[in-house]
Amino acid sequence: MKHVNWKFALAVLVLVFILLYPWLGASSYTKHLFILFFIWSIVAANWNLMMGYAGINSLGNIGFMAIGGYTAGILAKSLGVPPFLTIPIAGIVTSAVVTLALGLPALRLSGIYIALLTLIFADTLPSLLTQTREITGGAMGLHEIPPFYPGMDKTGAYYICFVFFLVVLFIIYRIVHSPTGMAFVALRDSENFAYCLGVNKFRERLKVFALSSLLTGAAGGMYVHALGDISPTTLGIEPFLLTIAMIELGGVGTFLGPILGAAVIVFGNEFLRLAGTLRLTLLGALICTIILFYPGGVIQLFHTIEHRVERLLNRKTPTT
Amino acid sequence: MENLVNALVSGLISGSLYATMALGLTIIYGVSRVFNFGHGVIAVIGAYITWYLLSVFGVPFLPATLLSLAFMASFGWLVYRFTMSPLLKKPNWEFSTVLFMLGAGILLENVVLQVFGPRVKSIPVLVDGALKVGFIQINWHEVALMGIVLVVIAALSLFFKYTRTGQAMRAVAQSIPGAQVVGINIEQIFGLTFALAFTVTGFSGILLGTKYYLNPHVGWEWMVKGFVIVTFGGLGSTSGAVVAALVLGLVEAVATLYFGAIWVWPIWFVLFLIVLLLRPQGILGGRT
Amino acid sequence: MLTVRELDCFYSDLQVLRGVSLDVGEGEVVALFGPNGHGKSTLLKAICGLQPPKRGSIRFKGEEIAGLPAHQIVERGLAYIPEERHLFSDMTVLENLYLGAYPRHARPVLKKNLEFVFHIFPRLAERRHQLCSTLSGGEARMVAIGRGLMSETSLLMVDEPSIGLSPGMKMAVFDAIRQIHCERGMTILIVEQEIQHALEMSDRIYLIKKGQIAFERRREEVQVDEIERAYF
């Protein structure tokens, strides 16, 4: 039980630090990075919920986020809908569109078809955006999207995104530890056994798909209100790769993995900028290296260290 | 009418080029169940090497192509031996290979970008001039391309039917334990399959490079078309891929004629959805 | 010909075989009995390389083969006919049989072996151009056995050849195995649930229970009911 407590203490310490950080001399730039971290870790955590827990091999989650972002942006900018409405609407619209157009057909099929279908879906979105230039701004994107409240500064956006981050992570934590989450662990470990328990794979996966796309779409809404703009570059290869790298780096199929991965990637990406045009080369190499040599990610590294420390402690205390 | 016929002819030509693009994908999937998400950049590499030999060293077309294909074959074998082989032995290999090849695709794409620069290249056409039959006009080059594609497809099907290695590849595709029981070396066949598929893919890149433009990023577009085609034709089926490529080439040409090029992608996507919903095993595929 | 010593085999953490030792002499027919799920098939799979053992030794013709990949074991002249058959279902009967002769040493004698297979199973000669997915269960079993014979083998390991077949078909399969032994002097290791029939054709039997050899007997020393009793 001891190690659970120190982990919990560490988590609380980190959260308190994040809570107090704006008063600890944070620059506008570092606050901006934290906002990015909050939003991307939600996207990554939801993607991981699909991929690592439910075994839905989706490659289109950035597309889900873009749908949410554009929905919220258009509603707020063209129709003047207030943010506390645009964000839930963004989530619901994303979930409805994506679940109907992708989830229902794809989830009945085997893994590789889901990957194909979601990738092609995300690939179709930029041409749709160009088609609907009058509403979406085409290649230019949407700019000057209203913030969460008039006259919002970085600190305000920081706290709103932080609260959102906490709420979504709490929801994901509950799902992972709910009967649905258990059902998935059962499915992952032994499909036949899970069938014997009466787990309906299609229905459970559809539920996760709907919820996960809802939260991802809402994260898209948060993104546009916090940062003020969105363009088809969001759908480019780089955000896609960065998010995949977050999940793989942190540890697929673990609760904390994608969050740790998001922290490393968001703050590390700033160093990566120094590499200039080599950035994507390094990113590709990073993903390949992790998958090939360290499939468990950072989380596994922690577990290994913890194990070693425990063994060391056990050796010192004589067994009775 | 004239426009329509010309569109259909050009649809057949691009369809046959798409077929070679899809073949490499479906060969790897059929035998090893690895779905190569780095497929596009493999084609681009094959094309770039040929371009480099042609325009920098002045090597004639045929030896340049052969050299480039020899490189592709060894590259395919190396990729299998040092990355896919260890990944296939782990649980969740189905998706880890997908992510790995995606990452490798980006890596290689940017290596190509660093080495050759972002400027658009093109491989010179094989033959000049055009063939005119009534109002139909086809470039001799495109006639040559179609001829080459037909030869490639015929050669591949003979290979799979009559050679020891080709039969072993089909055997592995149908039952891995069965193949082990008759004494087929699975590792060796997987390695050779990657070598063969990379060669075919590199060759398709060369052909596409003579008809369309070439830049480090164009592989993604080719690859996604290849994805739709192999799903349409049934994953792992080579004849299905050829038929699907021709059908989609024609659809693309007609759609461009009547609705404009911008609608090509959404139409491919909708067709893809319809096939997945009605016949997930593809139009010619036997199993899911 | 085959000497297995102290073999331990695991499925992930579960130990399936515990210190199994077994011998098969040249020209012998040895039957392996035992309740379902007690390690009979695992033993055959361990010998032929499909399920590499964790510990122990397997010597075939004096050579250590434990842990070798399956294809190298086939090349040494040991054929395994899996219970699940594992045919190449989108190929014809003939293509399946040709693939049986995949090992290099089997190529020169392909014609002779094919004639022998068609001699034993005339039905396969009639259906040689039929796809394997369209065969009946008994015919598919014949293709599986035929494919094993094509590899120019000196030891044939047959896993439950009669399972799921009609009584008439069962007899045909047992007759064929007997014929293979008589006409070719083939050494055979057979796993079977039809105790009576398998006992009649074998020289010795082993009974495997809970992953261990419970007893070994010559045919003359054992009765069917003694084996049946040992199952419970």
Side-chain angles (χ1 to χ4, degrees):
Chain A
M1 274 323 277
K2 225 175 220 167
H3 60 281
V4 176
N5 287 338
W6 75 254
K7 263 188 211 162
F8 185 71
L10 190 68
V12 169
L13 216 67
V14 169
L15 288 180
V16 169
F17 171 76
I18 294 176
L19 190 67
L20 298 177
Y21 186 63
W23 281 294
L24 299 174
S27 68
S28 167
Y29 174 64
T30 50
K31 275 184 268 187
H32 174 77
L33 284 185
F34 266 97
I35 293 173
L36 288 179
F37 160 66
F38 294 144
I39 292 170
W40 285 109
S41 57
I42 287 166
V43 176
N46 276 297
W47 201 336
N48 177 53
L49 188 63
M50 284 190 181
M51 178 160 107
Y53 283 96
I56 303 168
N57 297 336
S58 164
L59 293 173
N61 286 45
I62 299 292
F64 306 168
M65 183 191 171
I67 294 176
Y70 269 101
T71 310
I74 292 164
L75 285 176
K77 213 184 158 193
S78 316
L79 304 171
V81 180
F84 70 89
L85 281 177
T86 60
I87 291 165
I89 293 174
I92 291 164
V93 167
T94 309
S95 180
V97 168
V98 163
T99 310
L100 288 176
L102 279 180
L104 282 176
L107 293 182
R108 291 193 184 277
L109 304 169
S110 70
I112 205 69
Y113 286 104
I114 302 176
L116 280 172
L117 193 59
T118 47
L119 185 81
I120 291 173
F121 174 79
D123 225 62
T124 316
L125 291 178
S127 67
L128 278 181
L129 289 176
T130 334
Q131 279 301 297
T132 50
R133 196 172 294 113
E134 300 78 32
I135 320 169
T136 60
M140 300 299 296
L142 293 175
H143 297 279
E144 288 159 16
I145 297 163
F148 292 115
Y149 55 88
M152 177 187 80
D153 60 353
K154 277 280 175 216
T155 311
Y158 180 97
Y159 279 114
I160 291 173
C161 289
F162 182 46
V163 171
F164 181 68
F165 167 81
L166 289 179
V167 170
V168 174
L169 287 188
F170 179 71
I171 295 174
I172 292 179
Y173 186 82
R174 290 302 297 266
I175 294 170
V176 170
H177 293 87
S178 74
T180 306
M182 299 300 180
F184 281 124
V185 175
L187 271 174
R188 203 173 55 187
D189 294 345
S190 164
E191 196 147 314
N192 290 332
F193 180 61
Y195 280 133
C196 294
L197 291 176
V199 175
N200 180 338
K201 189 175 172 187
F202 176 70
R203 205 175 49 210
E204 298 297 329
R205 284 168 111 189
L206 196 66
K207 269 197 245 166
V208 168
F209 195 88
L211 185 89
S212 183
S213 54
L214 183 123
L215 295 175
T216 309
M222 294 297 288
Y223 180 90
V224 294
H225 288 298
L227 302 176
D229 42 34
I230 185 164
S231 72
T233 50
T234 319
L235 288 161
I237 197 76
E238 200 177 337
F240 172 79
L241 273 189
L242 283 169
T243 323
I244 294 273
M246 288 172 196
I247 303 167
E248 288 290 333
L249 184 69
V252 186
T254 60
F255 174 71
L256 280 175
I259 304 164
L260 280 175
V264 174
I265 295 284
V266 167
F267 298 106
N269 194 27
E270 299 307 307
F271 294 102
L272 223 53
R273 277 185 208 290
L274 299 176
T277 51
L278 276 173
R279 202 168 67 251
L280 283 172
T281 320
L282 292 175
L283 209 54
L286 175 73
I287 292 179
C288 289
T289 316
I290 299 166
I291 294 175
L292 201 54
F293 299 110
Y294 222 84
V298 177
I299 283 280
Q300 197 190 332
L301 197 67
F302 280 171
H303 286 319
T304 325
I305 293 170
E306 197 184 316
H307 253 59
R308 295 248 166 93
V309 169
E310 256 171 33
R311 271 227 304 267
L312 223 66
L313 291 177
N314 285 345
R315 209 177 295 161
K316 276 176 187 164
T317 47
T319 44
T320 48
Chain B
M1 187 59 201
E2 252 174 68
N3 287 339
L4 180 63
V5 173
N6 275 318
L8 288 178
V9 170
S10 82
L12 271 184
I13 293 161
S14 36
S16 53
L17 290 179
Y18 294 161
T20 55
M21 167 58 55
L23 276 175
L25 204 56
T26 209
I27 289 171
I28 291 189
Y29 183 83
V31 175
S32 70
R33 294 294 181 272
V34 168
F35 205 99
N36 182 8
F37 272 72
H39 184 71
V41 76
I42 305 299
V44 166
I45 292 175
Y48 262 97
I49 292 175
T50 310
W51 172 83
Y52 194 73
L53 291 172
L54 280 171
S55 53
V56 177
F57 290 111
V59 182
F61 184 78
L62 196 63
T65 305
L66 289 178
L67 274 173
S68 142
L69 295 187
F71 174 84
M72 294 316 290
S74 12
F75 186 50
W77 187 83
L78 289 171
V79 165
Y80 174 72
R81 179 66 189 73
F82 292 104
T83 68
M84 293 296 110
S85 172
L87 284 178
L88 283 174
K89 292 185 179 65
K90 289 179 189 154
N92 194 26
W93 56 268
E94 192 180 39
F95 201 47
S96 68
T97 51
V98 164
L99 290 178
F100 182 89
M101 287 313 296
L102 255 177
I106 311 276
L107 171 63
L108 292 172
E109 175 191 350
N110 285 282
V111 168
V112 171
L113 181 67
Q114 297 294 326
V115 175
F116 297 104
R119 279 190 49 203
V120 170
K121 313 272 193 290
S122 74
I123 300 174
V125 293
L126 302 171
V127 262
D128 287 317
L131 169 73
K132 268 192 177 169
V133 186
F135 55 78
I136 307 168
Q137 184 175 338
I138 319 170
N139 293 327
W140 275 115
H141 172 64
E142 292 173 335
V143 177
L145 282 182
M146 279 183 78
I148 293 172
V149 170
L150 280 178
V151 169
V152 168
I153 292 171
L156 275 176
S157 49
L158 289 176
F159 170 77
F160 283 124
K161 190 118 182 87
Y162 294 111
T163 67
R164 183 173 137 96
T165 309
Q167 285 172 343
M169 284 177 182
R170 281 200 299 148
V172 173
Q174 290 176 31
S175 167
I176 287 181
Q180 282 177 305
V181 162
V182 300
I184 294 172
N185 182 348
I186 306 286
E187 280 286 298
Q188 181 197 32
I189 292 299
F190 274 12
L192 290 176
T193 302
F194 271 77
L196 173 70
F198 274 41
T199 311
V200 174
T201 308
F203 192 61
S204 82
I206 299 171
L207 297 183
L208 283 159
T210 64
K211 177 148 164 63
Y212 306 103
Y213 63 95
L214 193 60
N215 74 27
H217 316 295
V218 71
W220 295 102
E221 194 189 313
W222 295 346
M223 176 175 82
V224 179
K225 284 188 176 167
F227 285 179
V228 180
I229 290 165
V230 295
T231 319
F232 221 87
L235 288 183
S237 155
T238 41
S239 47
V242 173
V243 174
L246 291 175
V247 170
L248 287 168
L250 290 174
V251 168
E252 182 181 277
V254 174
T256 313
L257 179 66
Y258 290 111
F259 306 108
I262 202 84
W263 284 102
V264 168
W265 260 124
I267 288 171
W268 280 61
F269 180 69
V270 170
L271 279 174
F272 182 66
L273 264 185
I274 293 171
V275 169
L276 277 189
L277 285 175
L278 299 181
R279 235 185 119 69
Q281 70 273 44
I283 42 179
L284 284 187
R287 42 203 170 132
T288 40
Chain C
M1 181 175 263
L2 180 74
T3 318
V4 177
R5 286 291 171 269
E6 296 297 320
L7 206 66
D8 285 344
C9 221
F10 287 75
Y11 281 122
S12 58
D13 287 340
L14 186 73
Q15 187 164 6
V16 189
L17 295 181
R18 301 161 192 274
V20 169
S21 298
L22 163 146
D23 294 276
V24 180
E26 179 120 33
E28 253 191 323
V29 177
V30 174
L32 198 55
F33 297 121
N36 277 328
H38 282 234
K40 300 182 306 278
S41 291
T42 309
L43 178 56
L44 296 197
K45 284 186 180 138
I47 295 171
C48 76
L50 286 184
Q51 173 74 36
K54 191 156 187 178
R55 279 182 294 272
S57 131
I58 305 169
R59 300 182 77 81
F60 179 64
K61 293 181 190 162
E63 232 182 320
E64 183 63 48
I65 58 165
L68 286 183
H71 68 96
Q72 288 186 17
I73 294 177
V74 179
E75 280 163 11
R76 284 168 167 71
L78 198 160
Y80 166 63
I81 319 290
E83 181 194 331
E84 308 88 340
R85 299 189 298 252
H86 296 307
L87 297 183
F88 309 119
S89 52
D90 291 340
M91 293 190 194
T92 62
V93 170
L94 205 57
E95 282 178 303
N96 267 271
L97 293 177
Y98 278 148
L99 273 163
Y102 186 81
R104 295 230 173 261
H105 73 274
R107 301 246 123 185
V109 281
L110 188 146
K111 266 226 159 67
K112 185 196 84 186
N113 281 332
L114 190 66
E115 271 166 25
F116 182 66
V117 170
F118 285 157
H119 161 65
I120 302 262
F121 301 115
R123 204 147 163 169
L124 295 187
E126 291 163 27
R127 319 229 145 172
R128 65 178 83 188
H129 295 302
Q130 205 170 317
L131 284 185
C132 281
S133 51
T134 63
L135 296 178
S136 74
E139 289 161 350
R141 178 67 61 190
M142 291 172 182
V143 178
I145 297 174
R147 197 177 61 178
L149 287 174
M150 293 295 290
S151 68
E152 185 62 10
T153 181
S154 37
L155 168 61
L156 195 65
M157 299 197 300
V158 202
D159 196 352
E160 308 226 6
S162 77
I163 198 166
L165 300 185
S166 66
M169 204 45 112
K170 276 183 186 174
M171 291 314 298
V173 166
F174 285 128
D175 284 343
I177 293 174
R178 203 171 288 129
Q179 213 178 341
I180 293 166
H181 174 64
C182 295
E183 294 184 17
R184 277 252 167 137
M186 180 80 72
T187 313
I188 294 174
L189 175 59
I190 182 172
V191 165
E192 193 36 76
Q193 294 293 359
E194 296 281 334
I195 298 168
Q196 181 71 51
H197 294 296
L199 189 61
E200 273 168 22
M201 68 168 82
S202 45
D203 301 307
R204 273 188 308 125
I205 67 118
Y206 283 90
L207 196 125
I208 196 165
K209 202 173 173 184
K210 291 183 182 161
Q212 288 170 314
I213 299 288
F215 57 75
E216 180 220 337
R217 296 270 195 282
R218 303 201 56 77
R219 180 184 44 199
E220 309 85 71
E221 309 164 349
V222 72
Q223 298 298 321
V224 173
D225 54 331
E226 186 189 359
I227 297 169
E228 276 172 350
R229 243 180 295 128
Y231 273 43
F232 303 104

